[in-house]
Amino acid sequence: MGLYEKLRNTLRPNALNRELEEELRHHMEMKALDCERWGMTEEQARAEARRVFGSHTLHKEATRDMDVTIWLDAATRDLKYAARQLWQSPLFTLVAVLTLSIGMGANSAIFSLLHTLLLKDLNVPSPERLVLLTAPEAAGVNNGSSDGVRALLSYAEFAQLRSSVRSFDSMFASESGTTLVMVSFDGKPAEPFRERLVGGDFFIMLGALPAAGRFFTASEERGPGSMPFAVLNYNLWKNRFGGRPEVVGATVRIQGRSFTIVGVAPPGFQGENTGGQPDLWLPLMMQPQLMAGRDWLRDEPSRMPAKLMWLHSFGRLKQGVTMAQAQAEVNAVFKSLLEQDYRGLSAESRKQLLTQYLQLRPGRKGVSEIRRDASRLLAILLSISASVLLIACANLANLLLARSSSRRREISVRLALGAGRGTLIRQMLTESLLLALMGAAGGLLVMAITRGVMAKMLVSNSTPELGNLLDPAVLGFTGLLLVLTVLLCGLAPAIRGTRTQVGNELKDTGRGTAGGRGTLAMTRWLVSAQVGTSLLLLIGAGLFIQALDKLRTLDLGYSKDRLLLLRVDGLSAGVPKGRLREYFRELQESIAATPGVARVAWSENGLISGTDSADDVAVDGYTGETAGARWDQVGPGYFSVVGIPLRAGRDINERDLAGGPPVCVVNEAFVKKFIPDGKPLGKRVTNMFNEKDRPAYEIIGVSANAVVNQVRRAVSPRFYIPASQSPEGMPDSVYFEVRTAGEPKQLLNTLRQVIQRGNDAVQITRARTVEENLELTAAPERMIARLSAAFGAIALLLAALGLYGVLAYGVSRRANEIGVRMALGARAPTIVSMVLRESAVMIAFGAVAGLGAAAAAVRLAASQFYGVSGLQWTVVSAALFLLIAVALAAAAIPAWRASRIDPLVALRHD
Amino acid sequence: MNVRTPDRLQGSLSLLILKSLASRGSMHGYGITVHIHTVAGDVLRVEEGSLYPALHRLTQDGLLRAEWKTSENNRRARYYSLTAAGRKRLAEEEQRFLEVSDAVRRVLMYV
């Protein structure tokens, strides 16, 4: 009763009590009135009424119970009953809750990431008025030209749009990537932090209120270098500065320049970008100060059509202005500014360049560099984890089914005694509800643990803001899983279990053979389905592991062994553009002289680093359609140091860099594509990008095809020029390719000292080995391979458990039959093979279905993933072998047990 | 669910309530006791302590509808009436009761 009282008190409003009181009082008064009418005094009448009526409170209690307990009673009784049932079989409960927790947790974690990256709106006021002018998934710096839909804007373009477009009441621009900067607090040694440059009404439009201090605003923009302000990320403020308020107003040195920390962003502020979060937000106006020697705030007219496109831009629609109107106005302004910029160019180039336009999109979801890749991955992972949950549900359904059939007689008795079938179904559903509830609770725990890990795997260079763990959408999703689980697991067993002919079951003494054909057939189908699904997951895991292996063992065309890449920014060393060649040559010499270094070369784009150059080219003797080729600028001895074999001609040398005639080395793919007669040496390659300066490089060598970028594609045509010979002059930053004698990373500090000798300002912006670059590139494949292997293993385990359960149950039910068979002369091997045959049928059905599903799924995956090219017989046979081995092991135990049945005991039983 | 002394027809209180409401329309609790008393005389007297729990249970089961109205002497009272389900249940119970009492009568008459 204690539980009743509690529930009743919490569940019931006082109003009900008052109404009841009033109703009973009415009764007494009516009665008293009648008594009075029969001649009693009022006092007497009341006393009589109360006497006849009996204990007032007692009746009230009894009546009240009827109001509440009718429904509550049933629910609590069912819950208690279910809890008792589960408590009585703790192992079953543990297994069920664990599998459900894993299934629901994995699904919720993946959904939570999907939600953060894809579905959630930015937390901004009136998000429907926020409009994005750039491409949501674009990121980085594009130094060149484009056609068609423009992905990113240059600062000059943004400034022009902001001053001319009337459809918006405000606009902001933000750096599409993030940049590492060295920050020194209180004169301590500088540490690397990630910053994002933002300008315009960034904080205002995103509706953020500072957690401390203030934000910088557009009204403070007074030209380049005018706003040495910084806004801190809340987490940085809390973790690094303990949330101390006096940090606001403090001065820090960023890249050697003084900045004032003016404020702290609110907790959870993710800005406009749902990918990685920066540690600091700095004003766009400070770009030239942060990157010495580079001005990204102007487009240099002499370099047209090249522009520095690196910014995302958002606008806030004026009240009543539609997106279509804004689109028209923005593009009118954009077109006229492009015409202005390109006015000195030939009609032919202008025609192509002026196809550029801006595609306006709703800005409510912000931008995200990782969104497209991540959503593809997450969709795959979600389907994998959903399969695991399905298997877990099938397993649970099977267990419940088995339990319900072992309770057949109990159920029949209850039905015979007049229990409603609805009541029984409700009771059994309550049991699965209780399990699912515990599973969901466990699942939330699993999600809390795993989603951070998964986010890290998904986003390699920073941690996305994951938002609240108990986000309503995520909780809703988990709730939906819960309901589905209850229905999937509980409904069929409940309906099946209660569909029994009362008479038949009670007459049945349990001496039959298999008994309950329908139930058993269903459990067999469920096991087959589990086997099939786990085979599908195993094959998938195998294929992804194979793809990952393919990436790892990819033949690059040179040795990736002990090859360290160091990117050095020459401008940060304070070297003027004209002296960069000597500077890089001196660096090359001092690195080469460092003990532990075998050889060293350098190039603009490095190896597998993600940066690349490409332009349209014209080649002597090539008459085909205009086509582009990739290219790189390299230092002396590049090919011999990196180890790319030369098929003909010679390597690029110091004389080529020191003012020799324009030359280049092309790869074999280039020869194949552009040189029909197969005689490349002496032919010229002309870079068509800048129509006022089109250098023609004479081919002096042919190199083997080498993978220097884009590991997932066939090697594309590429030419390599001496680093001083591009129309742009020497690159500001170059990668040194250092082949070391020992472990490369151990040499890192020494090399840092060598490079920074006498000048701390010299920036080494990247320091990774080629192997590390490959690992980073393979991150998505690795994540999928790992998770699908883990899920595949779980699925296999669950399927084995399911198979074991069904067989063991079957054996125990057929103990009589087996006993009879043995009494009639059947030998143990016969009995074993009988049980194994039964399992073989289930496995075979499942395997065939799994193979069919795998064949269909792999076709889908092959179009999406590098290295997945179809069902590999090695993978399929390995998966089948594993599956059959585990399944047979699971079947062996009940089979063995069946063969040990003592006919005498079995026949005496029951 | 008892009918007062002697415990003559156990389980018939709901039937009595349903029938009373069917014949008299909407009534409050006291009205029901008065009606049963009037029709059946002193043999069947409804114990109030059983009446209200029964009324509330029947309401919970969807057989009765309850609403607050102003009574004949201008008091607020809770009036009960039959729902469609209640009418159906009444027909069934009535049928069963008649069958049972007929059977009982025949057994008693068999000498």
Side-chain angles (χ1 to χ4, degrees), chain A residues 443-576:
Chain A
L444 287 179
L445 205 70
V446 170
M447 172 173 95
I449 298 166
T450 55
R451 69 173 192 159
V453 182
M454 284 202 229
K456 277 240 168 60
M457 286 201 238
L458 209 59
V459 189
S460 44
N461 60 353
S462 64
T463 321
E465 187 65 52
L466 285 177
N468 196 344
L469 189 64
L470 300 179
D471 186 291
V474 177
L475 282 186
F477 180 78
T478 311
L480 192 74
L481 287 183
L482 191 145
V483 173
L484 279 178
T485 306
V486 172
L487 292 181
L488 280 176
C489 298
L491 205 55
I495 290 174
R496 280 267 180 191
T498 53
R499 188 191 299 159
T500 127
Q501 291 300 317
V502 172
N504 290 350
E505 196 60 35
L506 288 181
K507 269 178 255 159
D508 183 7
T509 56
R511 277 184 180 264
T513 50
R517 282 265 162 225
T519 309
L520 272 184
M522 184 160 169
T523 57
R524 288 202 186 103
W525 280 116
L526 282 173
V527 168
S528 289
Q530 288 182 60
V531 168
T533 317
S534 48
L535 182 64
L536 171 68
L537 293 188
L538 283 179
I539 291 177
L543 289 176
F544 280 119
I545 289 171
Q546 210 182 35
L548 179 64
D549 201 47
K550 218 183 248 180
L551 265 184
R552 278 205 183 127
T553 57
L554 186 69
D555 181 12
L556 299 177
Y558 51 90
S559 164
K560 60 187 174 217
D561 201 25
R562 289 169 287 121
L563 192 50
L564 181 65
L565 298 172
L566 295 171
R567 190 176 201 205
V568 178
D569 181 355
L571 292 182
S572 70
V575 180

Side-chain angles (χ1 to χ4, degrees), chain B residues 13-97:
Chain B
L13 177 59
S14 359
L15 177 59
L16 296 181
I17 293 173
L18 293 174
K19 186 67 188 176
S20 310
L21 290 173
S23 52
R24 292 285 308 270
S26 174
M27 274 193 288
H28 50 64
Y30 184 70
I32 294 170
T33 59
V34 172
H35 172 77
I36 293 174
H37 191 205
T38 318
V39 176
D42 274 338
V43 184
L44 285 181
R45 261 179 67 181
V46 177
E47 172 87 71
E48 290 85 344
S50 313
L51 173 72
Y52 283 93
L55 280 173
H56 283 240
R57 183 172 45 76
L58 291 171
T59 313
Q60 283 290 317
D61 288 347
L63 303 178
L64 299 186
R65 187 184 307 113
E67 55 198 328
W68 286 95
K69 281 195 217 163
T70 312
S71 71
E72 56 273 25
N73 52 351
N74 273 334
R75 300 287 313 268
R76 235 167 75 83
R78 207 164 186 223
Y79 277 76
Y80 295 89
S81 53
L82 278 185
T83 64
R87 224 169 281 285
K88 195 164 155 248
R89 173 69 66 88
L90 172 62
E92 291 164 10
E93 299 244 320
E94 219 170 340
Q95 180 65 30
R96 187 179 310 168
F97 180 85

Side-chain angles (χ1 to χ4, degrees), chain A residues 23 27 29 31 34 59 67, chain B residues 30 48-49 52 56 75 80:
Chain A
E23 188 176 11
H27 186 103
E29 281 169 7
K31 188 142 196 166
D34 275 353
H59 295 327
D67 284 341
Chain B
Y30 184 70
E48 290 85 344
Y52 283 93
H56 283 240
R75 300 287 313 268
Y80 295 89

Side-chain angles (χ1 to χ4, degrees), chain A residues 185-513:
Chain A
F185 299 100
D186 304 331
K188 293 196 192 97
E191 309 159 54
F193 281 99
R194 208 162 270 286
E195 62 81 26
R196 173 167 286 136
L197 295 168
V198 298
D201 297 310
F202 179 77
F203 293 104
I204 299 174
M205 275 174 67
L206 292 173
L209 291 173
R214 64 177 188 91
F215 294 137
F216 50 81
T217 66
S219 57
E220 294 169 277
E221 292 176 4
R222 305 265 185 279
S226 62
M227 322 163 60
F229 306 139
V231 169
L232 292 186
N233 183 315
Y234 185 83
N235 290 339
L236 178 70
W237 183 51
K238 278 284 174 208
N239 301 337
R240 181 70 173 65
F241 299 105
R244 289 195 304 277
E246 66 268 23
V247 172
V248 174
T251 302
V252 292
R253 293 188 79 76
I254 305 177
Q255 296 290 91
R257 303 262 176 170
S258 282
F259 280 72
T260 306
I261 298 177
V262 293
V264 179
F269 176 71
Q270 54 170 9
E272 81 298 3
N273 199 311
T274 53
Q277 297 314 304
D279 303 308
L280 302 160
W281 285 274
L282 304 175
L284 271 175
M285 283 296 122
M286 300 308 289
Q287 180 278 328
Q289 279 63 42
L290 290 169
M291 304 177 203
R294 295 181 183 82
D295 186 355
W296 289 1
L297 298 182
R298 338 179 11 247
D299 289 327
E300 174 60 42
S302 64
R303 288 185 61 244
M304 285 300 159
K307 291 181 174 221
L308 261 163
M309 297 170 282
W310 61 299
L311 297 173
H312 276 299
S313 177
F314 287 76
R316 198 174 124 99
L317 288 176
K318 273 189 184 141
Q319 204 83 52
V321 176
T322 67
M323 190 136 91
Q325 289 165 334
Q327 163 99 17
E329 198 208 348
V330 162
N331 276 298
V333 174
F334 189 58
K335 183 145 196 163
S336 76
L337 84 83
L338 288 181
E339 274 170 351
Q340 179 74 15
D341 286 344
Y342 301 144
R343 63 189 181 281
L345 303 176
S346 71
E348 187 199 350
S349 332
R350 283 161 50 95
K351 194 179 159 211
Q352 179 161 17
L353 290 164
L354 288 174
T355 59
Q356 294 180 87
Y357 68 98
L358 294 175
Q359 179 62 54
L360 268 52
R361 297 173 173 88
R364 61 195 313 160
K365 300 243 185 281
V367 295
S368 177
E369 165 186 3
I370 57 170
R371 184 178 293 156
R372 194 191 295 173
D373 286 343
S375 56
R376 206 177 47 143
L377 290 183
L378 288 174
I380 291 214
L381 289 179
L382 199 59
S383 46
I384 293 176
S385 60
S387 317
V388 172
L389 185 60
L390 276 180
I391 293 182
C393 281
N395 225 353
L396 195 53
N398 243 345
L399 290 169
L400 290 169
L401 211 53
R403 280 158 59 85
S404 79
S405 4
S406 61
R407 279 163 56 189
R408 283 176 94 83
R409 298 193 62 176
E410 171 209 333
I411 288 166
S412 304
V413 169
R414 292 177 60 184
L415 283 173
L417 290 179
R421 190 166 165 218
T423 316
L424 289 179
I425 290 182
R426 203 184 56 212
Q427 263 175 14
M428 297 171 88
L429 275 184
T430 309
E431 205 171 307
S432 17
L433 175 70
L434 203 59
L435 282 173
L437 270 174
M438 290 194 276
L444 287 179
L445 205 70
V446 170
M447 172 173 95
I449 298 166
T450 55
R451 69 173 192 159
V453 182
M454 284 202 229
K456 277 240 168 60
M457 286 201 238
L458 209 59
V459 189
S460 44
N461 60 353
S462 64
T463 321
E465 187 65 52
L466 285 177
N468 196 344
L469 189 64
L470 300 179
D471 186 291
V474 177
L475 282 186
F477 180 78
T478 311
L480 192 74
L481 287 183
L482 191 145
V483 173
L484 279 178
T485 306
V486 172
L487 292 181
L488 280 176
C489 298
L491 205 55
I495 290 174
R496 280 267 180 191
T498 53
R499 188 191 299 159
T500 127
Q501 291 300 317
V502 172
N504 290 350
E505 196 60 35
L506 288 181
K507 269 178 255 159
D508 183 7
T509 56
R511 277 184 180 264
T513 50

